[in-house]
């Protein structure tokens, strides 16, 4: 139990702390009134961001996946923390094979949707995604909230 083990424990603690903050933000934004069912073009744009991040995780391109995170999330979680947070807190996202999306709702600045994410090991989980529009043009993922316990086989 050397320095490497202590470092892993510290990174896991930091990751779980960031995860708790991220979950709080996602919960608050997902319940915000005023979000309307998105028009088809907006739905396509929002889902493309989530799909882009999932595709990056499938290709094991964590840095690219990190680029889909909002500025606020990136400020709270540097890349190594983000990587650990997703790997241990969102295993279906980390090892995803595909996703199915629900309704997208937005107000032009914030958007939410639900995604059923399927993992390589046969499990799946439903997640609420919260996105924010940065610089009035680019959608970024601001938070993700899991609906059910881990390990549900599909």
């Amino acid at each position: 139990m050397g320095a490497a083990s202590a470092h892993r424990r510290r990174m896991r603690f930091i990751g779980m702390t960031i995860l708790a903050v991220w979950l709080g933000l996602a919960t608050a934004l997902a319940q915000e009134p005023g979000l309307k069912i998105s028009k088809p073009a907006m739905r396509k744009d929002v889902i493309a961001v989530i799909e882009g991040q999932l595709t990056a995780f499938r290709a094991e391109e964590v840095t690219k996946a990190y680029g889909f995170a909002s500025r606020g999330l990136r400020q709270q979680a540097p890349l190594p923390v983000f990587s650990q947070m997703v790997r241990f807190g969102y295993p279906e996202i980390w090892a995803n094979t595909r996703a199915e999306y629900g309704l997208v709702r937005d107000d032009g600045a914030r958007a939410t949707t639900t995604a059923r994410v399927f993992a390589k090991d046969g499990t799946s989980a439903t997640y609420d995604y919260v996105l924010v529009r940065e610089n009035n043009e680019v959608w970024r993922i601001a938070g993700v909230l899991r609906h059910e316990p881990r390990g549900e086989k599909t």
Side-chain angles (χ1 to χ4, degrees):
M1 295 256 231
S5 178
H7 176 72
R8 279 194 300 276
R9 283 194 309 274
R10 190 169 41 255
M11 290 299 289
R12 184 169 283 158
F13 173 76
I14 291 169
M16 290 298 121
T17 301
I18 297 294
L19 176 64
V21 171
W22 202 21
L23 288 174
L25 175 64
T27 301
L29 289 174
Q31 296 174 355
E32 183 157 340
L35 299 179
K36 307 275 190 239
I37 295 175
S38 300
K39 295 187 187 257
M42 183 69 73
R43 174 183 167 78
K44 181 180 174 185
D45 290 347
V46 168
I47 289 175
V49 172
I50 299 167
E51 196 59 40
Q53 187 179 63
L54 292 174
T55 299
F57 280 121
R58 280 194 295 271
E60 299 179 9
E61 296 176 350
V62 179
T63 301
K64 186 173 182 179
Y66 187 63
F68 290 96
S70 69
R71 184 180 309 115
L73 180 59
R74 290 190 315 265
Q75 288 172 344
Q76 292 177 22
L79 179 59
V81 174
F82 173 82
S83 177
Q84 292 296 310
M85 177 177 66
V86 177
R87 184 175 186 187
F88 295 107
Y90 303 89
E92 295 85 7
I93 291 173
W94 181 263
N96 79 88
T97 58
R98 66 184 176 91
E100 297 173 356
Y101 300 94
L103 282 176
V104 175
R105 298 177 188 277
D106 79 279
D107 66 3
R110 292 172 307 283
T112 64
T113 191
T114 301
R116 184 86 180 167
V117 181
F118 298 85
K120 294 174 187 172
D121 68 0
T123 60
S124 68
T126 302
Y127 292 95
D128 281 332
Y129 275 83
V130 178
L131 292 86
V132 294
R133 196 172 220 165
E134 295 183 346
N135 303 323
N136 279 332
E137 57 187 51
V138 180
W139 287 105
R140 297 283 185 237
I141 299 168
V144 179
L145 176 65
R146 180 189 200 92
H147 275 269
E148 69 267 331
R150 288 190 185 141
E152 182 178 307
K153 289 280 188 182
T154 53

